[in-house]
Amino acid sequence: MKYVLVSGGVISGVGKGIIASSTGLLLKTIGLTVTSIKIDPYINIDAGTMSPIEHGEVYVTDGMDFPILQFDCSRKWLTRADDRRWRLIRTSEMDLDLGNYERYLLTTLTRDHNITTGKIYQQVIEGERVGKYLGKTVQVVPHITNAIQDWIERVAKIPVDESGAEPDVCIIELGGTVGDIESAPFIHAVSQLQRRAGKSNFAQIHVSYVPVLPPGPGGEQKTKPTQRAVGDVRSAGLIPDLIACRCEQPLEEGTIDKIANMCQMERKQVVAVHNVSTTYHVPLLLEKQKLLGTLSELLNLSQIPQPVARVDSGSLMWKSWVDLAHSQDHLHETVSIALVGKYTSLHDAYISLAKSFEHAAMYCRKKLRMIWVDSSHLEDDALENSPAEFHKAWHDVCTADSICVPGGFGERGTLGMMKAITWARTKKIPFLGICLGMQLAVIEYARNIAEIEDAGSEELHKNAKNHAIIYMPDVDKSKLGGTMRLGRHPCIFQPGTEWSKLRALYGSAPQIEERHRHRYEVNPAMVEQLEKAGLTFVGKDVKGERMEIIEIKDHPWFVAVQYHPEYLSRVLSPSRTVLGFLAAASGCLDRVTATFGKDR
């Protein structure tokens, strides 16, 4: 196994995830099988209970719920009959950077590809409780650091693509900034892993930041922060093989030479990653600076046997990537999407959705213009408290080519979301509702079209007479962390829905599989009444009990889904749900359906 560690210095949010993903993509283009692991030094078990405004979105992978047999103190395996000790592990919720890896590398990762301090300590403590360490004093070194290394070596071997092959290279992204106190055990562990892996099997890319002072074209590029950051990494026991310098503008030759000289590195070991028009140009930028050749020398990649079919596939993948990236530079026609959400103050809260829009826009040959609308600004209270924000928000909604209402939790801003849904429905504006967006679309239709008195949601309107949205009966209400319906589940297209615009994009496939993250669902007892009023439930789960897709027949595109289509959207394979929405907004739905609606 070859390992490539990507660490960061100077500041957080410097772009480690994009550089790690781009590096993996370049390795795939020469026929290698690549996997990825993200290390997050926070104590949370996963990102499921974190605030989207603070941490960004929670990414969800394929993992389904699965039972784990626990080992009790008597060292006997427990059976399913021991209900009190039988744990049902809820999988899939993890850091948003895992989404970058899947989108760039066309891989399918698991919950174990995201390591957190909480997971490691939980595993070690549970092992200690059952006598795994044979009475020894359990310490950070060697028990925690060994557990980290063992975890990485185990997960790195898990097949992550359709080939089913064990990966050749594992990209490890170390979250946070080197020097953070919480990262210390992980840094010590990966420094030991470097010795475990052996010579020519481990390389490190350290991502640093080169500020310009004063800011602007005439400013001076400062190298001192990078020098200090590299010194910190070395003092922590790691020796970077490459420095990726993030900067707003291209680095001057003198700046690169100075960094190489002061950090005792060769000129080719310093890679400049300046701002580009889209993040999809970053792999091209790294390829131009011969990053792949440098890594090949460091890791002796030429000795890895590569089947001809895989090499050809990698070459084709690279050609498609380059064509798509360059095509964005020559687009002039714009399509606008008003994203009406609760967490728009931090765009990373919807990063997968925004990326899925970009993927779809590239295939529709349009330049995407995202309009971020805080849903609370659409409500009547905003007119009194902040009239300027109220009028701007409504101007953005009314002038957009399309409207999307995404997922979220809690009551705040939901009235504004429903107002936006009413506008899209009545004005025939292409609309896409996702998760909470679907539930609110159902409530809006129940109230305004089906005339169901006091229709509401058990989550948002506890005292409503008629709950169109209810708590799923099989979800544990006593806990928040990891208790939702998560992971990939099938959705069956219903008989008599052949007219569906969304269904047409999937050809003759009777069912699709998408990733979910929700606790509430449409009340099955209210479905018949809603369908009589004209709201069609196009897709349901395999038992026909959970509503997955709604669509209005006489509308250019009014579709809402319980699943999250953005989680399966890829740069080279856009989500059909999102693609249809954006194509309707762009006026090219018929062309896109003719291309993508062929049998898969």
Side-chain angles (χ1 to χ4, degrees):
M1 179 64 64
K2 309 288 186 179
Y3 298 97
V4 178
L5 174 67
V6 180
S7 57
V10 183
I11 60 173
S12 60
V14 75
K16 297 189 301 295
I18 295 298
I19 291 173
S21 302
S22 299
T23 300
L25 174 66
L26 291 176
L27 291 169
K28 285 202 69 167
T29 63
I30 60 173
L32 297 174
T33 303
V34 182
T35 186
S36 307
I37 293 175
K38 173 68 188 298
I39 295 175
D40 285 302
Y42 47 69
I43 297 177
N44 304 61
I45 299 297
D46 55 43
T49 57
M50 293 185 183
S51 166
I53 297 176
E54 176 184 334
H55 187 74
E57 76 168 6
V58 175
Y59 190 71
V60 174
T61 55
D62 274 0
M64 306 285 281
D65 299 342
F66 62 95
I68 295 293
L69 278 173
Q70 284 193 306
F71 199 64
D72 70 3
C73 294
S74 64
R75 300 193 180 184
K76 294 180 180 178
W77 286 109
L78 301 171
T79 65
R80 187 61 190 256
D82 300 301
D83 288 332
R84 289 181 300 172
R85 300 299 306 278
W86 180 277
R87 281 198 307 162
L88 188 63
I89 301 298
R90 303 285 180 172
T91 68
S92 304
E93 293 175 296
M94 56 189 63
D95 187 82
L96 58 84
D97 279 317
L98 275 293
N100 283 328
Y101 306 147
E102 288 200 339
R103 285 189 286 270
Y104 275 59
L105 306 181
L106 296 174
T107 54
T108 301
L109 304 178
T110 70
R111 72 187 298 269
D112 286 349
H113 287 86
N114 188 196
I115 303 174
T116 69
T117 298
K119 286 181 180 179
I120 294 295
Y121 274 81
Q122 183 185 53
Q123 175 182 290
V124 171
I125 290 171
E126 288 182 352
E128 184 272 333
R129 290 290 83 189
V130 299
K132 176 180 177 181
Y133 301 105
L134 302 177
K136 293 181 180 179
T137 301
V138 181
Q139 298 175 297
V140 173
V141 180
H143 301 101
I144 294 295
T145 52
N146 283 346
I148 295 168
Q149 294 174 76
D150 293 342
W151 189 302
I152 291 173
E153 289 184 327
R154 173 178 60 84
V155 174
K157 297 177 181 179
I158 299 174
V160 292
D161 60 22
E162 293 180 353
S163 70
E166 182 177 307
D168 302 307
V169 183
C170 177
I171 309 289
I172 306 169
E173 182 190 344
L174 178 60
T177 304
V178 173
D180 295 343
I181 188 171
E182 59 264 32
S183 298
F186 292 103
I187 293 172
H188 190 85
V190 293
S191 67
Q192 291 180 326
L193 179 65
Q194 184 173 11
R195 293 200 302 274
R196 252 200 218 190
K199 190 176 180 180
S200 299
N201 291 326
F202 190 98
Q204 182 187 358
I205 302 173
H206 189 62
V207 184
S208 185
Y209 178 66
V210 178
V212 177
L213 297 175
E220 180 184 357
Q221 295 174 342
K222 295 293 185 179
T223 65
K224 188 64 70 177
T226 296
Q227 295 176 43
R228 295 299 300 270
V230 173
D232 290 342
V233 174
R234 286 173 173 162
S235 66
L238 291 169
I239 302 176
D241 298 288
L242 295 119
I243 303 175
C245 299
R246 281 285 291 114
C247 41
E248 277 77 21
Q249 52 193 268
L251 286 186
E252 300 168 1
E253 288 298 319
T255 303
I256 297 175
D257 290 337
K258 185 175 181 180
I259 291 173
N261 182 49
M262 299 305 293
C263 296
Q264 298 83 48
M265 305 183 86
E266 297 293 330
R267 168 65 178 75
K268 66 180 181 180
Q269 292 176 275
V270 180
V271 180
V273 188
H274 59 79
N275 289 355
V276 286
S277 56
T278 70
T279 57
Y280 308 117
H281 280 275
V282 174
L284 280 63
L285 196 59
L286 297 178
E287 190 270 343
K288 185 178 180 181
Q289 298 176 77
K290 297 181 171 53
L291 173 70
L292 194 53
T294 304
L295 283 177
S296 295
E297 292 178 14
L298 290 168
L299 298 173
N300 202 12
L301 297 179
S302 61
Q303 299 302 310
I304 300 176
Q306 300 167 23
V308 175
R310 200 188 300 167
V311 174
D312 291 342
S313 176
S315 299
L316 182 61
M317 179 184 185
W318 180 243
K319 183 181 183 302
S320 299
W321 188 284
V322 172
D323 290 345
L324 273 177
H326 284 318
S327 69
Q328 289 296 94
D329 299 332
H330 305 289
L331 298 177
H332 302 289
E333 294 184 6
T334 300
V335 60
S336 60
I337 298 175
L339 183 70
V340 183
K342 298 160 62 74
Y343 318 120
T344 53
S345 59
L346 180 65
H347 293 179
D348 273 0
Y350 302 108
I351 188 170
S352 289
L353 187 55
K355 293 300 180 184
S356 70
F357 291 150
E358 291 178 4
H359 306 161
M362 286 191 284
Y363 278 87
C364 290
R365 303 186 184 96
K366 300 288 184 180
K367 187 178 289 292
L368 177 66
R369 184 167 73 91
M370 289 283 296
I371 305 171
W372 302 86
V373 180
D374 188 325
S375 58
S376 63
H377 293 165
L378 299 173
E379 299 176 356
D380 294 340
D381 289 346
L383 179 59
E384 298 180 8
N385 301 326
S386 182
E389 290 180 339
F390 175 85
H391 291 296
K392 182 183 184 304
W394 272 109
H395 177 268
D396 289 341
V397 168
C398 294
T399 57
D401 297 322
S402 55
I403 297 170
C404 176
V405 175
F409 299 91
E411 185 178 359
R412 183 185 64 82
T414 54
L415 181 58
M417 290 178 172
M418 282 196 283
K419 287 179 176 290
I421 293 169
T422 301
W423 176 267
R425 179 178 58 78
T426 57
K427 302 300 181 183
K428 304 293 185 180
I429 306 298
F431 167 77
L432 176 63
I434 297 173
C435 198
L436 175 63
M438 170 184 166
Q439 295 170 9
L440 293 176
V442 170
I443 295 172
E444 190 275 338
Y445 202 91
R447 290 178 178 180
N448 298 327
I449 302 299
E451 297 181 348
I452 298 175
E453 183 184 0
D454 196 21
S457 163
E458 279 191 348
E459 177 191 15
L460 310 173
H461 319 101
K462 298 186 185 301
N463 297 321
K465 292 181 180 179
N466 295 293
H467 285 133
I469 307 299
I470 60 173
Y471 210 108
M472 289 189 294
D474 51 343
V475 170
D476 185 356
K477 296 183 180 182
S478 64
K479 296 187 296 182
L480 287 178
T483 56
M484 288 186 276
R485 182 176 181 239
L486 296 168
R488 195 161 177 162
H489 298 274
C491 167
I492 312 295
F493 289 116
Q494 298 301 294
T497 61
E498 289 76 15
W499 54 265
S500 165
K501 296 179 178 66
L502 175 60
R503 181 172 181 173
L505 286 164
Y506 289 91
S508 61
Q511 74 173 50
I512 58 177
E513 291 188 354
E514 295 283 352
R515 294 176 180 176
H516 296 68
R517 183 175 183 255
H518 64 109
R519 290 190 183 91
Y520 296 86
E521 64 182 358
V522 177
N523 186 350
M526 207 170 284
V527 168
E528 184 178 355
Q529 189 175 357
L530 288 168
E531 288 204 308
K532 285 181 178 179
L535 185 67
T536 305
F537 290 88
V538 173
K540 301 180 182 180
D541 73 341
V542 291
K543 293 183 179 179
E545 298 172 352
R546 288 200 165 104
M547 306 302 115
E548 295 280 357
I549 305 171
I550 63 170
E551 189 169 349
I552 296 178
K553 189 172 185 179
D554 58 346
H555 194 285
W557 182 274
F558 192 98
V559 173
V561 295
Q562 184 60 72
Y563 55 82
H564 287 262
E566 67 270 26
Y567 291 145
L568 285 178
S569 186
R570 305 288 181 260
V571 181
L572 299 178
S573 180
S575 161
R576 280 168 167 74
T577 302
V578 176
L579 180 61
F581 166 62
L582 201 134
S586 303
C588 60
L589 181 58
D590 291 341
R591 175 179 65 81
V592 168
T593 300
T595 302
F596 284 83
K598 298 175 182 177
D599 290 348
R600 295 180 294 171

